Amino acid sequence: MKRFKLLFFFSLLLLATGVSAQTDDLFEPYKPISLRLPSVPLILNDPYLSIWSPYDRLTDGTTRHWCDAEKAWDGLLRVDGTTYRWMGTERECLLSAVAPMTNETNWEGRVSYTTQSGTAWAAADFDDSSWAVEEAAWGTANEYPRVRHSWTATNSDIYIRRTVTLTADDLGRELWVMFSHDDVFELFINGTRVVRTGETWLQGEKQRLTNAQLALLHEGDNIIAAHCHNTNGGAYVDFGLYANTWQKVGVVVTATQKSVDVLATNTYYTFACGPVELDVVFTAPMIIDDLDLLSTPINYISTRVRSTDGQPHSCQLFVGTTPQMVVNEMTQATVSSIITEGDTPYIKSGSVDQPVLKRAGDQISIDWGYLYIPAFEGAVSIAPLGDTENAFLASGTLPTSQSEVTSLNESQFPCLAYVHDFGSAAEASSFMMVGYDEIYDIQYMRKNYKGYWARNGKTIFEAFAELRDGYADIMARCRAMDARIYDDGLASANAHYAELLSASYRQVIAAHKLFEDDGGRLLFFSKENNSNGCVNTVDLTYPSAPLFLIYNYELQKAMMTSIFEYSATGKWSKQFAAHDLGTYPIANGQVYGGDMPLEESGNMLTLAATICRIEGYGDWLKRYYRILKRWADYLVQYGQDPAEQLCTDDFAGHWAHNCNLSVKAIMGIAGFAEICRARGDEALAATYMQRAAEMAAKWEADANDGTHYRLAYDRQGTWSQKYNMVWDKLWGTNLFPNDAMSTEIKYYRTRQNNYGLPLDSRADYTKSDWIMWTAAMADNDRTFIQFLEPLYRYVHTTSTRVPLSDWYDTKTGRWVSFRARSVIGGHWMKVLMDKFADLTSVAPEAVVEGGSSVSSCFDLTGRAVTPTARGLYIVDGRKVLIR
């Protein structure tokens, strides 16, 4: 019977790979998608190579990094001499300095760090003679290299007055202000405010002055004044005045977008361009069980033109960007060149300074490494923007390329252009590639590492060649991955769930960096995007886990290993698990200001136990057993009634006696029992499981509020999502008595708002990952779908145009904060629940030494492999531990 179950399970795995999809049209989505995403993934690999379109139509605005920094890509198609725009928008400006920022010149201002009331301090006639004269820029020097005067205090202000002398010719031009700031910023012209930002930290922002604002300026000396408030963390301020020199190019018609479909690895667009239709597919080849491919920082852009009138048409394709892609501040100098590798010309573009791994933080872009665009099936050039677009509009070709261009700032950025000539045909297709080599990708315990793909010395050019030669096969595998994700969601609920998972996949994967340390350990580090920038945060690893536990739990281990090692090496000596390893991409030790003792210890124990259940053995934890026991004992001592402390939902406030946190501790203790059982220590397993059961019984009595269970033991009339209880159902441990889980689900159904179930009784906001965990506790699909549909409605209709935000308001459908985070891997919890019985249905039937001969060997995802590493495999139809 066991053999039959194995073969059945293995057959399911083979079917799940979607092999039959390989013969399908790569320009047609696996399934049509109805879900309208608030931001559409285009080019993604990691937290830095992450380009999105936050619009319904690809021509409604410029493409952007997930942090909202502009990273503009343009797409044009020339059909029989008429040019259509299918990506991006017409350029507004090309700025030339009148009063430049610090990237072009050193400038001085009068400065005060004393709070100024009103706006009189910004007026032209204000007496600033007592203010200090200082050289720009101001802020945190280790975050912003142009800082000349340190200004770093939390909750502090700086006031700057800059004298700018203008001529009549200057006043006759279209003028813009440009500014960089961290955090809240105001800009004044001769005493009148012209710019006010919220609490953001953006570099190289620009704004055209209106006629009324231009009228504030006059010949001679003017005062441009700035006020910046630093809330906490890094600080920065710099600003200048610029003139627009952009000359409008010829007529470009906006293509009509007919469809957009987002699947797991592919985004499909179709556009009507006069007598032809253009199909565009953006592909991030993130095959979750092919780690070399998943980590390679190269994406495909596939294109096809199809005549709609049966006649051949002459078509040329243009795709272009600028060195915006390679800097964090638009005032950083860049160098772009055409290089040749083998017989292929490449565009290569990067910052001049190349501050490799020198910048760490949250909402930032990379400013080291190089962008590459090869000319495998087309031509490339580096030339002025206007010249490039005019040449393409006139002839469908590129101007003569410059061999190398150095630019001091955005106003000098050239166009990095690729053109493919389809010729004259009724139908034709091609593909191009875009890649980014970070040189070094991450620093871990004081040592710099390249991404996993380059661990053995592979160059970016070798990677490009491999993806070029493997294009057809890789595209088929990506389509199979799309099918696998979609079909699993469909089987677990409905098409809406399938679409939500398809939309979530790339966001989750691209929030990580995969590498191997010098001990040969696989490491997979998340960046805590838009919530503080921490690297490998445990309470991101925890909610994202369902995706990885289903499809490749080796990546789950790779998120956890470094946290174990942090304790095992003595670098982290506390009695509980660490919160993080640093600020991305610097992973040298925890930087978060407060510990989360119960949270992170419970998270690590629970995930380790789940992997033990899947593998059927716990040898991978042997080195860390004492650490795990120490954490479990900490949970036993402090987990029943938690003291006031941070937890993953710390944004909601810190309450003592947190009932959901207590559930986490109880499940962590039960998890340690599972780990003991996997190690063969049944007696110790029974001891800890019994303790978990006793704590669960006390929890049920103390948290009971009649119709539901409380948010905190001492807060009658409160409630919260008890999403941590989901493991009790998943593992079948049934620790919580009196049908506590069903009681909660029944109550939650009465608390839903239009866009979902609030996190708890304190506010209307929620977390999408926790909704899906909570919903997976339902005892039937119909009830799960009742929680799913409001979440789908939020994603489909929200007016907040950012990559999926997991923290949003359930009444307004607008985000509260957080975007592009990996935690939405938690959306897969229902799939994990449905597949868990299969994943854990059989223990190893045999143990084979590494040198033994095996045949017909597959990993647990159904992929044929040669077993070079220790682990579980399907060998000749049996689940075998190879060591």
Side-chain angles (χ1 to χ4, degrees):
M1 186 64 181
K2 180 181 285 189
R3 182 177 179 83
F4 172 77
K5 287 171 67 178
L6 263 172
L7 291 174
F8 178 66
F9 172 50
F10 181 52
S11 298
L12 288 176
L13 286 169
L14 282 178
L15 289 172
T17 63
V19 173
S20 63
Q22 292 183 10
T23 58
D24 294 341
D25 187 343
L26 67 87
F27 288 98
E28 299 295 330
Y30 172 68
K31 296 287 185 183
I33 301 297
S34 299
L35 180 61
R36 182 236 62 172
L37 285 181
S39 192
V40 177
L42 301 177
I43 302 170
L44 285 83
N45 178 259
D46 65 13
Y48 291 135
L49 185 57
S50 184
I51 309 301
W52 302 71
S53 173
Y55 306 100
D56 291 341
R57 290 177 293 272
L58 194 50
T59 54
D60 282 351
T62 57
T63 56
R64 315 189 80 81
H65 185 259
W66 66 257
C67 73
D68 203 40
E70 183 179 83
K71 304 291 180 182
W73 284 79
D74 292 292
L76 305 172
L77 184 71
R78 189 171 180 271
V79 182
D80 298 334
T82 299
T83 301
Y84 298 83
R85 177 178 295 279
W86 55 269
M87 179 166 59
T89 57
E90 185 175 350
R91 175 170 291 274
E92 284 188 291
C93 62
L94 185 63
L95 301 182
S96 177
V98 176
M101 294 170 67
T102 55
N103 65 299
E104 291 188 60
T105 191
N106 297 325
W107 65 270
E108 294 180 339
R110 292 275 184 173
V111 181
S112 174
Y113 299 93
T114 303
T115 299
Q116 305 292 315
S117 60
T119 60
W121 65 273
D125 59 358
F126 177 78
D127 182 5
D128 60 13
S129 59
S130 64
W131 288 23
V133 176
E134 294 180 355
E135 188 175 340
W138 296 264
T140 308
N142 62 356
E143 284 196 36
Y144 298 100
R146 299 193 186 282
V147 167
R148 295 294 180 270
H149 277 268
S150 177
W151 165 58
T152 61
T154 296
N155 198 30
S156 65
D157 295 85
I158 187 171
Y159 301 83
I160 306 161
R161 290 168 54 87
R162 180 179 185 179
T163 300
V164 175
T165 304
L166 299 177
T167 66
D169 287 343
D170 292 329
L171 295 172
R173 306 165 78 182
E174 179 183 300
L175 296 179
W176 292 58
V177 288
M178 187 182 297
F179 45 96
S180 297
H181 61 98
D182 183 354
D183 299 291
V184 185
F185 179 81
E186 299 176 288
L187 192 72
F188 300 80
I189 293 178
N190 291 323
T192 299
R193 184 189 293 113
V194 295
V195 172
R196 173 185 274 173
T197 73
E199 186 179 351
T200 57
W201 41 98
L202 298 174
Q203 312 308 307
E205 286 198 271
K206 49 188 181 289
Q207 178 177 304
R208 184 177 67 83
L209 298 181
T210 65
N211 290 335
Q213 292 167 342
L214 285 170
L216 300 171
L217 297 165
H218 53 76
E219 286 189 64
D221 290 346
N222 296 263
I223 295 295
I224 300 181
H227 164 225
C228 194
H229 174 77
N230 181 42
T231 54
N232 56 63
Y236 191 66
V237 61
D238 187 12
F239 56 92
L241 183 68
Y242 293 79
N244 186 11
T245 62
W246 177 248
Q247 299 295 316
K248 182 178 174 65
V249 298
V251 175
V252 178
V253 180
T254 300
T256 300
Q257 183 175 304
K258 299 186 68 176
S259 63
V260 56
D261 300 277
V262 178
L263 278 298
T265 65
N266 293 289
T267 296
Y268 299 83
Y269 284 97
T270 295
F271 304 92
C273 303
V276 305
E277 288 189 352
L278 171 68
D279 300 312
V280 182
V281 185
F282 294 90
T283 304
M286 295 176 170
I287 308 300
I288 199 165
D289 54 4
D290 186 335
L291 301 186
D292 282 289
L293 192 56
L294 178 141
S295 63
T296 299
I298 296 172
N299 277 206
Y300 296 115
I301 304 176
S302 305
T303 51
R304 177 177 68 176
V305 290
R306 295 176 287 112
S307 171
T308 57
D309 61 8
Q311 301 300 311
H313 296 278
S314 175
C315 297
Q316 297 84 40
L317 178 85
F318 170 96
V319 177
T321 187
T322 75
Q324 275 188 334
M325 284 289 297
V326 301
V327 291
N328 183 63
E329 302 162 31
M330 296 304 107
T331 54
Q332 290 180 269
T334 63
V335 59
S336 304
S337 59
I338 299 292
I339 63 171
T340 299
E341 180 68 23
D343 296 328
T344 303
Y346 286 76
I347 292 173
K348 177 183 180 182
S349 184
S351 66
V352 168
D353 292 339
Q354 286 297 305
V356 177
L357 295 173
K358 297 300 184 185
R359 187 188 295 272
D362 188 359
Q363 298 189 62
I364 61 173
S365 304
I366 195 168
D367 58 1
W368 68 89
Y370 294 95
L371 172 75
Y372 291 92
I373 304 174
F376 288 132
E377 295 200 2
V380 291
S381 77
I382 300 171
L385 286 157
D387 293 352
T388 302
E389 292 197 17
N390 280 322
F392 183 76
L393 265 62
S395 63
T397 60
L398 294 173
T400 300
S401 179
Q402 297 173 251
S403 58
E404 183 173 291
V405 176
T406 299
S407 310
L408 294 181
N409 58 34
E410 185 180 20
S411 66
Q412 301 176 6
F413 284 171
C415 183
L416 313 177
Y418 172 93
V419 162
H420 173 77
D421 187 355
F422 288 107
S424 183
E427 181 172 325
S429 63
S430 183
F431 71 94
M432 64 175 289
M433 289 185 280
V434 175
Y436 202 106
D437 185 1
E438 296 179 17
I439 304 176
Y440 283 105
D441 299 61
I442 204 150
Q443 184 178 108
Y444 173 53
M445 297 305 163
R446 313 294 173 183
K447 183 169 183 177
N448 296 344
Y449 291 95
K450 296 184 72 66
Y452 182 84
W453 66 276
R455 68 196 181 284
N456 295 322
K458 183 190 297 182
T459 69
I460 191 68
F461 305 109
E462 290 170 330
F464 270 115
E466 287 178 4
L467 266 72
R468 175 199 61 199
D469 296 342
Y471 172 74
D473 175 66
I474 293 170
M475 289 297 290
R477 292 171 61 199
C478 286
R479 185 177 177 82
M481 192 77 230
D482 293 351
R484 187 177 182 186
I485 296 299
Y486 185 97
D487 288 348
D488 283 349
L490 186 65
S492 284
N494 59 16
H496 282 179
Y497 190 40
E499 292 181 358
L500 179 66
L501 298 186
S502 297
S504 303
Y505 182 83
R506 267 175 287 173
Q507 175 170 318
V508 179
I509 304 294
H512 295 83
K513 172 62 65 176
L514 183 69
F515 68 106
E516 187 177 85
D517 73 3
D518 55 7
R521 288 176 285 262
L522 183 69
L523 301 174
F524 193 47
F525 284 1
S526 64
K527 177 177 181 180
E528 194 169 341
N529 290 341
N530 198 205
S531 51
N532 74 2
C534 279
V535 58
N536 206 33
T537 302
V538 175
D539 55 292
L540 265 70
T541 295
Y542 180 68
S544 71
L547 170 65
F548 301 104
L549 291 171
I550 297 164
Y551 300 112
N552 190 347
Y553 61 78
E554 292 299 332
L555 290 174
Q556 189 67 56
K557 289 182 184 178
M559 288 183 255
M560 301 168 66
T561 296
S562 59
I563 300 297
F564 287 134
E565 285 292 314
Y566 194 23
S567 287
T569 57
K571 294 182 174 70
W572 178 261
S573 59
K574 297 183 181 182
Q575 298 302 300
F576 44 80
H579 169 271
D580 64 83
L581 289 179
T583 300
Y584 192 93
I586 307 301
N588 293 329
Q590 179 169 314
V591 296
Y592 194 61
D595 294 325
M596 296 187 181
L598 297 180
E599 173 73 41
E600 310 302 20
S601 300
N603 291 343
M604 291 292 288
L605 284 160
T606 299
L607 296 177
T610 305
I611 295 172
C612 286
R613 289 286 297 270
I614 293 171
E615 285 195 321
Y617 72 106
D619 288 4
W620 72 284
L621 295 170
K622 183 181 298 184
R623 170 172 163 80
Y624 313 119
Y625 175 72
R626 290 184 179 179
I627 295 166
L628 290 161
K629 187 176 186 304
R630 185 170 70 214
W631 294 347
D633 290 341
Y634 186 92
L635 298 182
V636 169
Q637 184 172 0
Y638 298 107
Q640 183 74 70
D641 186 5
E644 183 173 336
Q645 61 189 275
L646 293 170
C647 69
T648 189
D649 302 322
D650 57 353
F651 53 81
H654 312 151
W655 279 16
H657 320 298
N658 184 322
C659 294
N660 190 43
L661 190 56
S662 180
V663 173
K664 183 180 298 258
I666 293 166
M667 295 314 303
I669 295 163
F672 183 67
E674 294 288 340
I675 293 167
C676 292
R677 182 171 292 116
R679 295 180 74 244
D681 193 339
E682 292 290 345
L684 197 58
T687 298
Y688 278 88
M689 192 63 77
Q690 178 61 32
R691 184 64 183 126
E694 292 167 356
M695 292 174 68
K698 181 172 174 53
W699 182 97
E700 194 278 333
D702 293 349
N704 200 314
D705 207 46
T707 59
H708 62 280
Y709 295 88
R710 298 174 184 174
L711 164 60
Y713 289 125
D714 62 336
R715 306 283 184 127
Q716 188 175 359
T718 63
W719 65 272
S720 65
Q721 292 188 44
K722 308 301 189 303
Y723 52 80
N724 289 310
M725 202 179 287
V726 71
W727 304 103
D728 199 26
K729 178 183 178 183
L730 188 78
W731 296 344
T733 42
N734 301 316
L735 294 171
F736 291 87
N738 297 328
D739 213 16
M741 194 178 301
S742 295
T743 298
E744 285 289 88
I745 291 295
K746 181 179 179 180
Y747 183 76
Y748 297 153
R749 292 170 66 185
T750 70
R751 308 306 304 180
Q752 289 215 93
N753 291 325
N754 188 43
Y755 295 106
L757 178 67
L759 181 66
D760 58 44
S761 53
R762 290 175 288 185
D764 292 325
Y765 56 62
T766 194
K767 294 280 274 70
S768 68
D769 46 343
W770 298 146
I771 286 180
M772 290 292 90
W773 283 43
T774 295
M777 299 191 309
D779 59 9
N780 60 74
D781 290 351
R782 178 178 55 82
T783 302
F784 172 82
I785 290 169
Q786 288 176 348
F787 292 103
L788 164 70
E789 291 300 333
L791 170 57
Y792 181 93
R793 184 160 51 247
Y794 151 68
V795 175
H796 188 63
T797 64
T798 182
S799 59
T800 307
R801 305 311 295 260
V802 298
L804 286 179
S805 172
D806 53 286
W807 183 18
Y808 69 93
D809 191 291
T810 61
K811 287 187 175 178
T812 67
R814 291 186 54 80
W815 79 325
V816 177
S817 189
F818 302 166
R819 59 184 152 189
R821 301 204 315 159
S822 62
V823 299
I824 63 172
H827 291 171
W828 272 264
M829 182 56 87
K830 177 62 160 59
V831 179
L832 177 62
M833 187 72 72
D834 292 345
K835 286 181 172 290
F836 199 65
D838 285 333
L839 290 172
T840 61
S841 61
V842 271
E845 293 187 63
V847 176
V848 178
E849 297 304 320
S852 300
S853 175
V854 297
S855 60
S856 182
C857 185
F858 299 83
D859 65 18
L860 294 188
T861 67
R863 185 167 58 98
V865 293
T866 300
T868 57
R870 182 182 181 285
L872 283 176
Y873 299 88
I874 304 295
V875 179
D876 298 327
R878 297 188 305 161
K879 194 174 186 182
V880 171
L881 171 60
I882 297 179
R883 63 184 185 189

